[in-house]
Amino acid sequence: MSNGTNMYGSILGVGVQDPNIDSDDDDSDDSDSLLFSSVRLLKKAESFTLPHNVDRGYRGTELKLLSFARPHMRAFHGSWMCFFASFFLQFAMAPILPDIMRSLSLTKSEIWLTNVWSVVGGVPMRFVMGPLCDYHGGRTVMTSILAFSAIPCLLSGLAFNLGTLSFLRFIIGSFDTFVPGQYWITCHFVREVGGTAMAISSGWGAMGSATTQLVVGSVIFPLCWFMSGSPDIAWRISMIVPAAFAISVATFFYLYSDDCPLGNFREVKKAGLMLERSAVDSFRSGVLNLNSWILFFQHAGSYGVDLTMCNGATLYYSERFQQPTVTAAAIAFTYGVSAIFARGLGGYISDRAYDIFSLRGRLAVQMGCMILQGLLTLIFARCDTLQWSIVVMIIFSIFVQMSMGTCFGIVPYVDGPNTGSIAGVVGAGGNLGAILFGNIMRFTTHYQEAFEYIAWFTIGLSFLTPFIVIKGYRGILFGKEEESQRQTLLVPGASPKLVPARFKNQNNRR
């Protein structure tokens, strides 16, 4: 850090020029312009309605779920709504796969292969999304990829064989908004409420996969079939609705929300309130952290299962219990509906455990949720009646969602300034798990055998939790508790020498 940047800026990763340090006359006009721009952005904080902390990048210190106020709660709702639209689009084919299979004359193994391809692209893209978010901001990345994902969704109606269907599902799955959504939340809320905020946001967003089962599978597809008189034409026309929905949501939040509390990354950097960061450096920090990879594999055991069920629940009930597509899609909806509260519940319990036991509490909750998820998967695999299968599936889905919520309650502590890259690594694990589980579904003869493999895999991964060791915190077995340093992401924070006293008095509210 140069001498012209104060210590506070160094801690926050911001580049605020100290006005008390003399500058050359030639640069005075530029300095005045920079100071004017920075003060203009800082004055925006006077209109913030949510309690926030100046010293932590103006992040919100509580959630008001019924508020849509900009910037904090607008970002919160933008995160889950964009994720909802993304999942609604990404899984729009899932509830009508039995009819697509018949339309394109595909086998069970081939249709599961398209499920695998639908998550393959997400692995490299999630690694890339983290550094992109660190550089461009969560809102910018999220809304852009959501809008672009509508193009292959529209084109999917032109698929005519296994190759074209697999390719289009691969492209659609690559435009995944999970990582930028989680990053967007961490830019607007302090870590103490971050676990709950991220879990609720991702849970509500994940309802898109459940909603598309019901809306596309049980409403839009039958309606298109009735109007066209052909199931082959109907499933193709059905893809127009999720594409149009995604474009509408992306456009609104691109225009009417912010990357971080003080504005969008581009204008905040231009005002000198934020240092430029190398996406390569951020990526390197993320992939070289051992904790990232432990959470990577654990997320494979939770989110990987979730993706597999979102893609295959309709197929499962259609084939194992001989249910028609409309009924099987409605049953599949009951799997995903728990996301509306269960992921948030996992994050909330993780936050409360942290209040009592520090990070050890979060780790213990994570481990417990994964073990219970695995045990319930075993029970689900052995249910031979439709009624009991549905009941156990709903309970099992609650713990899948909770495990995802607890996992991302840990992520912001791993390496604060590189949370985007950490989230990208961890998020990619979910897609890798879905690839593994999708192939298990392809190559096993019976669904019971496949789900038992998945159950034991999840239970085994839960025992990696004691090996998570984060500097400054005591883990389950290792580590030492120290006075926590309040690290933040590489997002704007105000220099105390640029912020008048009235800003601090009014804005540093708890």
Side-chain angles (χ1 to χ4, degrees):
M1 188 70 66
S2 67
N3 292 333
T5 305
N6 56 66
M7 184 179 297
Y8 185 86
S10 301
I11 294 172
L12 289 177
V14 297
V16 181
Q17 186 72 21
D18 190 335
N20 294 329
I21 295 179
D22 295 333
S23 59
D24 296 336
D25 291 339
D26 293 340
D27 297 331
S28 61
D29 290 341
D30 290 338
S31 298
D32 289 344
S33 176
L34 188 67
L35 183 60
F36 175 80
S37 297
S38 61
V39 171
R40 178 180 59 82
L41 288 178
L42 294 171
K43 281 180 67 67
K44 291 172 63 175
E46 292 184 324
S47 63
F48 292 174
T49 60
L50 193 77
H52 54 276
N53 191 318
V54 170
D55 294 337
R56 301 174 73 178
Y58 288 86
R59 285 176 173 81
T61 56
E62 64 179 65
L63 287 173
K64 293 185 178 180
L65 297 180
L66 298 181
S67 170
F68 199 64
R70 197 168 177 174
H72 302 91
M73 294 312 301
R74 180 72 57 85
F76 171 82
H77 290 296
S79 174
W80 78 260
M81 287 182 184
C82 287
F83 188 35
F84 181 98
S86 175
F87 259 33
F88 188 90
L89 180 150
Q90 185 174 343
F91 293 101
M93 288 189 196
I96 52 179
L97 282 178
D99 289 275
I100 294 175
M101 184 167 62
R102 288 187 286 270
S103 173
L104 301 182
S105 301
L106 303 178
T107 65
K108 173 196 169 185
S109 177
E110 288 174 331
I111 204 68
W112 269 104
L113 179 60
T114 71
N115 283 341
V116 171
W117 278 112
S118 74
V119 295
V120 167
V123 176
M125 284 300 290
R126 287 192 174 202
F127 279 107
V128 172
M129 289 296 175
L132 284 178
C133 288
D134 282 334
Y135 187 80
H136 294 289
R139 174 209 64 114
T140 302
V141 174
M142 189 169 204
T143 56
S144 298
I145 63 176
L146 177 59
F148 282 125
S149 68
I151 298 173
C153 181
L154 285 170
L155 294 175
S156 62
L158 302 177
F160 56 87
N161 60 17
L162 174 63
T164 53
L165 182 65
S166 297
F167 175 74
L168 288 165
R169 295 198 73 191
F170 169 81
I171 298 299
I172 293 170
S174 299
F175 291 104
D176 190 287
T177 61
F178 178 76
V179 171
Q182 297 290 275
Y183 183 94
W184 200 3
I185 292 292
T186 62
C187 287
H188 282 82
F189 295 92
V190 297
R191 292 183 300 180
E192 286 75 7
V193 298
T196 300
M198 286 192 292
I200 293 175
S201 174
S202 62
W204 289 3
M207 273 295 296
S209 64
T211 305
T212 201
Q213 302 278 353
L214 190 64
V215 173
V216 175
S218 301
V219 179
I220 295 175
F221 174 67
L223 181 61
C224 291
W225 189 348
F226 174 78
M227 295 173 63
S228 67
S230 167
D232 180 60
I233 296 175
W235 77 261
R236 300 174 190 275
I237 299 174
S238 299
M239 296 299 102
I240 297 174
V241 175
F245 178 54
I247 291 173
S248 300
V249 173
T251 301
F252 176 83
F253 284 104
Y254 181 81
L255 295 174
Y256 302 110
S257 61
D258 309 281
D259 287 321
C260 58
L262 293 183
N264 297 322
F265 274 22
R266 180 179 297 178
E267 63 180 337
V268 175
K269 289 177 182 178
K270 188 176 180 180
L273 290 173
M274 182 178 183
L275 287 176
E276 291 281 357
R277 279 276 291 186
S278 166
V280 174
D281 290 342
S282 175
F283 176 77
R284 185 185 299 113
S285 298
V287 299
L288 294 180
N289 193 306
L290 178 61
N291 294 312
S292 298
W293 292 102
I294 295 177
L295 293 172
F296 170 93
F297 286 109
Q298 292 197 320
H299 200 51
S302 55
Y303 189 51
V305 173
D306 186 57
L307 289 174
T308 303
M309 289 297 293
C310 289
N311 267 322
T314 301
L315 275 173
Y316 175 76
Y317 283 100
S318 177
E319 293 184 356
R320 183 167 183 180
F321 295 102
Q322 288 75 53
Q323 298 297 304
T325 299
V326 173
T327 304
I331 295 172
F333 167 77
T334 65
Y335 166 82
V337 75
S338 66
I340 199 169
F341 71 90
R343 220 179 276 197
L345 178 62
Y348 177 80
I349 294 174
S350 178
D351 283 347
R352 299 291 74 77
Y354 176 83
D355 291 341
I356 300 173
F357 303 106
S358 188
L359 191 66
R360 273 202 311 165
R362 291 192 188 275
L363 297 174
V365 170
Q366 162 85 346
M367 187 173 180
C369 285
M370 290 194 71
I371 292 173
L372 289 172
Q373 174 197 323
L375 293 174
L376 285 162
T377 307
L378 280 174
I379 298 173
F380 172 71
R382 299 174 186 182
C383 289
D384 294 324
T385 63
L386 178 62
Q387 293 80 1
W388 276 111
S389 176
I390 295 172
V391 170
V392 175
M393 179 188 68
I394 292 172
I395 301 172
F396 139 65
S397 73
I398 291 173
F399 284 93
V400 173
Q401 301 296 334
M402 288 180 65
S403 295
M404 287 186 277
T406 59
C407 183
F408 270 82
I410 299 168
V411 166
Y413 294 83
V414 176
D415 183 2
N418 297 293
T419 295
S421 294
I422 302 294
V425 173
V426 177
N431 287 66
L432 186 66
I435 293 170
L436 173 63
F437 302 148
N439 279 301
I440 289 175
M441 293 292 186
R442 283 185 65 205
F443 295 115
T444 50
T445 306
H446 303 290
Y447 278 112
Q448 176 178 333
E449 182 183 5
F451 278 111
E452 287 180 352
Y453 284 136
I454 292 171
W456 289 116
F457 184 78
T458 303
I459 293 171
L461 289 174
S462 70
F463 288 96
L464 291 176
T465 308
F467 298 99
I468 295 176
V469 181
I470 297 174
K471 184 179 179 181
Y473 296 96
R474 182 182 175 188
I476 292 179
L477 295 178
F478 308 104
K480 181 180 179 182
E481 194 77 18
E482 298 174 2
E483 185 67 25
S484 176
Q485 294 182 351
R486 291 186 171 182
Q487 295 176 320
T488 64
L489 288 171
L490 189 64
V491 294
S495 165
K497 295 186 178 181
L498 280 182
V499 184
R502 61 191 177 91
F503 275 101
K504 288 193 171 185
N505 293 337
Q506 292 176 11
N507 295 334
N508 208 17
R509 296 174 292 171
R510 298 277 182 173

